[in-house]
């Protein structure tokens, strides 16, 4: 996740406020809440993208062996993003062991699966839970909290949420490399 310069400024102020609690200006509270909403939106978008990638990986796995090269590419990308290989992935890779890249990928997936199982057995598996609302700042509570008085809405126009990108926008179609230009000798 990357923050813009303005978001970093807001984050820095929020950290300073958290470390030195003093009365906070309404503008600072609103900036912090907008930043929290942006982070929540980014987390939700990441979840949607991950679900799309996992569904795509399953489609390619189900279409094996015809999609072997695309499947191994997608699986390598998913592994790089922190995906734990599932038993279906290991079974599919065992079926593809004819190619050296398939065997190397199978060894990598076995090692990752073993690490994942050992971590779960040791109780170190961390599952991310839902992020809680900002409660360290005044105004960070939900509006339905009876203890918090309702504040007037800001004068700014509401921001429309961005639509989720289409898969074709996130992953443009792969182009085949162009054939090298033919060498014609000119006689004249």
């Amino acid at each position: 996740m990357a923050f813009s310069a303005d978001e970093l400024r807001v984050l820095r102020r929020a950290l300073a406020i958290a470390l030195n609690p003093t009365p906070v200006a309404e503008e600072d509270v609103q900036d912090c809440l907008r930043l929290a909403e942006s982070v929540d939106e980014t987390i939700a978008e990441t979840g949607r993208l991950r679900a799309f990638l996992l569904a795509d990986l399953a489609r390619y796995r189900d279409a094996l062996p015809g999609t072997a090269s695309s499947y191994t590419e997608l699986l390598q990308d998913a592994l790089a993003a922190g995906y734990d290989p599932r038993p279906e992935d290991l079974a599919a890779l065992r079926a593809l062991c004819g190619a050296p890249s398939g065997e190397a990928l199978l060894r990598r997936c076995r090692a990752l699966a073993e690490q994942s199982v050992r971590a779960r057995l040791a109780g170190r598996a961390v599952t991310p839970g839902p992020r809680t609302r900002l409660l360290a700042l005044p105004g960070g509570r939900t509006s339905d909290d009876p203890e918090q008085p309702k504040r007037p809405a800001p004068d700014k126009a509401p921001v429309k949420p961005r639509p989720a990108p289409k898969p074709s926008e996130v992953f443009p179609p792969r182009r085949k490399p162009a054939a090298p230009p033919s060498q014609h000798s000119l006689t004249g």
Side-chain angles (χ1 to χ4, degrees), residues 10-188:
V10 171
L11 185 59
R12 189 177 194 169
R13 276 195 327 223
L15 290 173
I17 292 167
L19 291 173
N20 186 18
T22 58
V24 182
E26 179 69 26
E27 180 182 328
D28 290 340
V29 171
Q30 293 304 318
D31 287 345
C32 291
L33 291 174
R34 275 193 292 277
L35 179 62
E37 288 171 3
S38 295
V39 169
D40 288 341
E41 181 181 329
T42 301
I43 290 170
E45 186 65 30
T46 301
R48 284 192 294 270
L49 181 60
R50 181 176 172 82
F52 170 77
L53 290 175
L54 293 179
D56 208 23
L57 185 64
R59 277 192 297 275
Y60 277 89
R61 184 177 50 236
D62 293 341
L64 287 173
T67 59
S69 63
S70 298
Y71 172 71
T72 55
E73 254 183 64
L74 278 174
L75 183 58
Q76 287 173 346
D77 291 344
L79 293 173
Y83 172 71
D84 281 333
R86 296 181 178 157
E88 308 91 60
D89 296 312
L90 296 173
L93 287 172
R94 275 188 222 103
L96 296 176
C97 273
S101 63
E103 269 198 46
L105 190 55
L106 177 60
R107 282 192 304 274
R108 181 177 174 202
C109 284
R110 279 182 180 158
L112 288 172
E114 186 176 326
Q115 279 179 330
S116 176
V117 168
R118 287 178 190 239
R120 276 185 266 146
L121 289 175
R124 292 181 298 187
V126 178
T127 56
R131 200 173 75 71
T132 59
R133 300 287 304 157
L134 271 178
L135 298 177
L137 298 173
R141 298 175 190 263
T142 58
S143 60
D144 57 357
D145 189 354
E147 296 176 7
Q148 175 140 358
K150 295 200 178 211
R151 297 181 186 216
D155 294 336
K156 297 179 184 176
V159 178
K160 293 182 181 177
R162 293 182 297 168
K166 298 176 189 168
S168 62
E169 295 171 340
V170 176
F171 304 103
R174 295 184 182 167
R175 308 265 186 239
K176 293 188 178 191
S182 61
Q183 303 275 336
H184 292 270
S185 62
L186 298 174
T187 57

